[in-house]
Amino acid sequence: MRSKDTSPSNELSMRVMRLLSLASEHGDQHLAEVERDLVQMDVLLDEAIKKLCASFMAIHRVADLQQEVLDGLLADCPAASGHAARFAALRGELDRHIGTAVTGLQFQDMTSQLIGRMALHLAGMRDVFGTLDVNGSVPPESGTEALLVALGSVSDRVALRFSELEGVVRSTVNQRHMESGDIELF
Amino acid sequence: MSKTILAVDDSGSLRQMLSFSLKAAGYGVIEAVDGQDALSKAKQHQVDLVLTDQNMPGMDGLSLIKALRGMKNYQKVPILMLTTESGDDMKARGRAAGANGWLVKPFDPARLTEVVKKLIG
């Protein structure tokens, strides 16, 4: 019967493999949770913006109808004409708020792009964690050399995954000014 | 007869806001969900201006511009990019592809219609 190799180098190999395996398992588990939360966040944000857009359109339709009624009243009732300037000023104010709301409703698009970007990074990181586990490829007690070969292979795979990720992920959303963006005509 | 604008964006809320703003200014609007959809709609209807996002699944904005500029009836049609991208490098690529202007999101409806009016009346 082969005796158990308790040399320090073998002990180190076992510990490194165990550490990589734990990092792989727990890393993937936690990132999967974050991924699920991000998906749910995107769903909630999308639902919120759909409801806000629908309300915005309905409010706008009602405001237009109100304006039609007011225009009719002003035309039919000369006594009310003294209020015409006030009504026009209120309509102008309403239009400015509508413009601001249209700008505000676009922030979901940018947020959603960022969430998509984060999801791609997370998926990439989960792949990386998946490559860390060398338990299956290095038999226990096979010695430091086998472990070194396996670690070299892990390093190559990790480098490859990161490089693949670079090519897939969109550029970030850098907006700092919360007003409307720049316009440039060529 | 009102001028028609092709509004291209993969975000439904963005398309809705674009459509709302441009229709309020008196333009007709055709919506497309990505570059491929836009190309197909541009072939079906001759539009007067194209307003496109850059980052979309499938065909992106720059590829769409190149494809449109390759079509005889879209060589002179104004094309504007409306995107979150604001880097000089991307703008230069847009210009080289044939874009006539670059608008960074979010857009202000009054400023957007001002630019559109300047280009197509």
Side-chain angles (χ1 to χ4, degrees), chain B residues 90-110:
Chain B
M90 278 304 285
K91 284 184 190 173
R93 287 173 63 192
R95 192 176 189 163
N100 298 89
W102 198 275
L103 287 77
V104 178
K105 290 177 181 175
F107 70 86
D108 169 65

Side-chain angles (χ1 to χ4, degrees), chain A residues 49-50 53-54 56-57 60 98-110 113 170-175 177-186, chain B residues 9-11 13-14 16-17 20-21 53 55-57 80 83-86 91 94-95 99-109 111-112 115 118-119:
Chain A
I49 211 71
K50 273 184 192 152
C53 278
F56 168 80
M57 299 304 255
H60 186 258
I98 286 171
T100 311
V102 167
T103 305
L105 287 167
Q106 297 164 56
F107 282 84
Q108 179 259 351
D109 172 47
M110 290 182 276
Q113 279 189 40
R170 288 175 176 183
S171 51
T172 191
V173 176
N174 276 318
Q175 266 70 2
H177 302 293
M178 297 301 139
E179 305 303 322
S180 61
D182 289 338
I183 295 177
E184 191 178 332
L185 288 181
F186 301 140
Chain B
D9 202 302
D10 57 329
S11 158
S13 60
L14 220 297
Q16 201 172 2
M17 290 304 109
F20 170 81
S21 307
D53 183 19
N55 296 318
M56 295 178 286
L80 296 172
T83 173
T84 53
E85 304 268 4
S86 56
K91 284 184 190 173
R95 192 176 189 163
N100 298 89
W102 198 275
L103 287 77
V104 178
K105 290 177 181 175
F107 70 86
D108 169 65
R111 290 179 71 202
L112 171 74
V115 170
K118 197 171 173 180
L119 290 169

Side-chain angles (χ1 to χ4, degrees), chain B residues 71-90:
Chain B
M71 291 160 64
K72 204 176 170 188
N73 53 334
Y74 278 95
Q75 281 171 3
K76 305 257 182 212
V77 170
I79 304 178
L80 296 172
M81 291 288 284
L82 174 62
T83 173
T84 53
E85 304 268 4
S86 56
D88 289 338
D89 175 52
M90 278 304 285

